[in-house]
Amino acid sequence: MALGEFELIARYFANASAGRRDVVLGVGDDAALVRVPAGFELVAATDTLVADVHFPAGTPVESIGYRALAVNLSDFAAMGATPAWFTLALTLPEAVENWLERFSAGLLELAARHEVALVGGDTTAGPLTVTVQLLGYAFAGRAIRRSGASPGELICVSGTVGDAAAGLASLRGRLVIDANPDRDALQRRFLFPDARVQLGMDLQGIASAAIDVSDGLAADLAKLLAASGVGARIELDKLPLSDALRRSVPRAEALRHALHGGEDYELCFTVPGAYFPSLAREATVPVAAIGVIESAPGLRGVDSGRVIELSPAGFDHFQR
Ligand code: ADP
Ligand code: MG
């Protein structure tokens, strides 16, 4: 390695405390010490990005750093939890300064925006793999789980779904989108997803269950349904599709990306119907009601009055 391990850590990762005063001891010792506020539970989430599996060759390096944290922030959003600190386990083929600069810029810019502190990690040589563990807190007993949905409640989705999958297909050269700015907009949804952290926190005490959409709306909703022991019916016409996606692909393909594409990092959650109007009015992100929880297990889609059984098939690392 051109750059020594300690120099590398000192230069790119040692000064990212985001001004937090609850970091007792950050990067530099054998372990980090942080202060969890009284009355709150510690929340932990981990996600790993592997080169070629989670991002295509040629992905901008800033995006690799950004996404490593964003996917964890999205898990926190789905719990309604407050993110505070994170660790970074970085495995690199070689220490290239320009690469590290861009990687840490993408990562630390997002960290600063969400005021989360990098408090430690590990740096090793090997095939490019990035693991972030995000730590934070939720008021005791108030984190939102996947298991709380009841029959009759509305199923909601934030933002728009399907964009990231279309953007990724375009980055991989499997989908040709001629028109800009649509192509850039869809690719950006994959490269720089917005984790819905504020919405998640605002849903505490309102949503009965929540999950973030990483593997695809159908697959992730199916997980929420299974955890809650219920089923659902969604109306395909109500899926929130962006104008960019509608302009770029035929309707059937837009629906396929929306249901089975993944990488959206939107929130899918359930609420009692009476809460929906004020939520839709006040939420910091657009929220669409797409269906209803039913007691019969399974996921059904209604398209032009026709009911079809929806396959939950999303992305599964061990079934490809
Ligand atoms: P140890 O051998 O005790 O695990 P290391 O030499 O691996 O310690 O790491 C030294 C310090 O640098 C530790 O505080 C560790 O948390 C931190 N660190 C190592 N790699 C990273 C990284 N990629 N990002 C942030 N902190 C890191
Ligand atoms: Mg170590």
Side-chain angles (χ1 to χ4, degrees):
M1 286 196 176
L3 198 62
E5 181 187 333
F6 300 107
E7 203 186 334
L8 182 164
I9 296 165
R11 195 179 300 174
Y12 299 106
F13 303 115
N15 297 301
S17 67
R20 294 195 73 96
R21 295 166 55 180
D22 51 10
V23 177
V24 180
L25 188 59
V27 170
D29 213 303
D30 292 312
L33 302 174
V34 297
R35 213 178 290 118
V36 179
F40 288 76
E41 288 164 343
L42 178 71
V43 180
T46 302
D47 250 310
T48 294
L49 300 187
V50 179
D52 298 331
V53 176
H54 295 95
F55 44 87
T59 299
V61 182
E62 290 83 355
S63 162
I64 300 173
Y66 180 104
R67 293 184 80 249
L69 180 58
V71 298
N72 283 285
L73 288 168
S74 178
D75 283 325
F76 265 60
M79 303 296 291
T82 303
W85 318 285
F86 70 104
T87 61
L88 168 68
L90 186 57
T91 302
L92 286 174
E94 51 185 341
V96 176
E97 291 186 33
N98 176 264
W99 192 96
L100 280 158
E101 215 151 276
R102 297 175 60 193
F103 173 87
S104 77
L107 174 76
L108 299 183
E109 184 209 298
L110 183 64
R113 200 186 309 159
H114 286 270
E115 295 178 354
V116 293
L118 176 57
V119 296
D122 198 19
T123 307
T124 50
L128 179 59
T129 308
V130 186
T131 299
V132 165
Q133 178 173 54
L134 183 60
L135 300 166
Y137 44 85
F139 195 60
R142 296 292 293 275
I144 307 167
R145 305 179 185 205
R146 296 178 179 182
S147 55
S150 306
E153 290 176 341
L154 292 181
I155 301 163
C156 302
V157 177
S158 65
T160 58
V161 281
D163 298 338
L168 177 57
S170 149
L171 283 164
R172 288 205 154 116
R174 293 179 191 165
L175 168 67
V176 177
I177 306 170
D178 285 327
N180 251 335
D182 288 349
R183 184 180 57 235
D184 284 352
L186 296 174
Q187 291 186 353
R188 276 193 71 82
R189 285 296 310 271
F190 171 77
L191 295 171
F192 299 101
D194 277 321
R196 305 303 190 187
V197 177
Q198 186 60 52
L199 174 65
M201 293 196 277
D202 293 343
L203 288 174
Q204 253 189 52
I206 293 175
S208 52
I211 189 166
D212 67 317
V213 181
S214 54
D215 295 337
L217 180 60
D220 291 314
L221 176 54
K223 289 178 205 164
L224 182 153
L225 299 175
S228 296
V230 295
R233 169 183 300 243
I234 60 174
E235 289 181 49
L236 303 193
D237 264 340
K238 293 193 173 164
L239 293 180
L241 306 178
S242 71
D243 292 338
L245 183 63
R246 287 175 197 273
R247 282 192 292 259
S248 300
V249 298
R251 177 176 184 269
E253 201 176 328
L255 289 179
R256 187 171 59 78
H257 286 309
L259 287 169
H260 304 295
E263 310 290 347
D264 295 307
Y265 300 104
E266 295 293 351
L267 294 185
C268 175
F269 56 94
T270 54
V271 292
Y275 292 175
F276 184 73
S278 61
L279 173 67
R281 233 180 7 253
E282 286 159 28
T284 50
V285 190
V287 168
I290 61 164
V292 62
I293 296 291
E294 298 179 332
S295 50
L299 176 57
R300 290 158 291 281
V302 185
D303 197 15
S304 329
R306 212 161 52 92
V307 181
I308 47 176
E309 196 71 25
L310 286 179
S311 136
F315 188 82
D316 181 331
H317 282 271
F318 298 101
Q319 295 194 335
R320 283 195 290 158

